[in-house]
Amino acid sequence: MDAGITMNYPMAAVTCALAETGELILDPTLQQETEAKATLMTVFDKTCSDIVTCHTTGIFTIDELERCSIASQTAAAAVHTFYRSSMEKKMSKEADYRALLKEGRKQNTATKA
């Protein structure tokens, strides 16, 4: 988010593993991915309504794809909420820092006069 690279919008990627039992596992471990019958890594735009890209491995039905997509969409929304709160905190700290610098300059000017 703060690498100095211009982006049109932030994206959130979520991996969903589909276990042999049919259970969906969001953000699976390597072992869970290896044991899964399929994995789907989906990238969402900032609105979480559009899929930017999707990478899949394994065999799955259309219904399983839809279940993974819906679960991943919900998780991506949480990621975007985290992005937003992190940026708000960062901007607040930067504003506080700028205010301190400005106050320090005023005090230095007053002391010199």
Side-chain angles (χ1 to χ4, degrees):
M1 294 285 303
D2 199 20
I5 298 171
T6 304
M7 296 189 317
N8 291 331
Y9 49 82
M11 294 178 270
V14 178
T15 300
C16 179
L18 182 61
E20 291 289 341
T21 61
E23 176 188 15
L24 299 182
I25 305 166
L26 293 175
D27 193 22
T29 64
L30 180 59
Q31 181 178 353
Q32 289 170 323
E33 278 191 53
T34 304
E35 294 171 354
K37 75 174 196 173
T39 59
L40 298 90
M41 189 275 304
T42 312
V43 180
F44 293 90
D45 69 359
K46 69 178 178 184
T47 65
C48 292
S49 60
D50 293 327
I51 294 176
V52 177
T53 189
C54 184
H55 179 268
T56 64
T57 59
I59 299 172
F60 49 89
T61 66
I62 295 295
D63 287 341
E64 291 168 331
L65 171 66
E66 287 178 5
R67 285 179 48 225
C68 282
S69 293
I70 291 167
S72 296
Q73 188 175 29
T74 302
V79 170
H80 283 295
T81 299
F82 171 75
Y83 286 165
R84 190 172 17 266
S85 67
S86 295
M87 288 306 293
E88 286 172 356
K89 287 178 188 174
K90 180 184 182 320
M91 298 305 259
S92 174
K93 286 180 182 179
E94 286 181 5
D96 291 346
Y97 179 71
R98 284 190 204 110
L100 285 172
L101 285 178
K102 188 175 182 179
E103 185 63 33
R105 286 187 203 128
K106 284 181 183 178
Q107 289 177 357
N108 285 341
T109 306
T111 325
K112 290 179 183 178

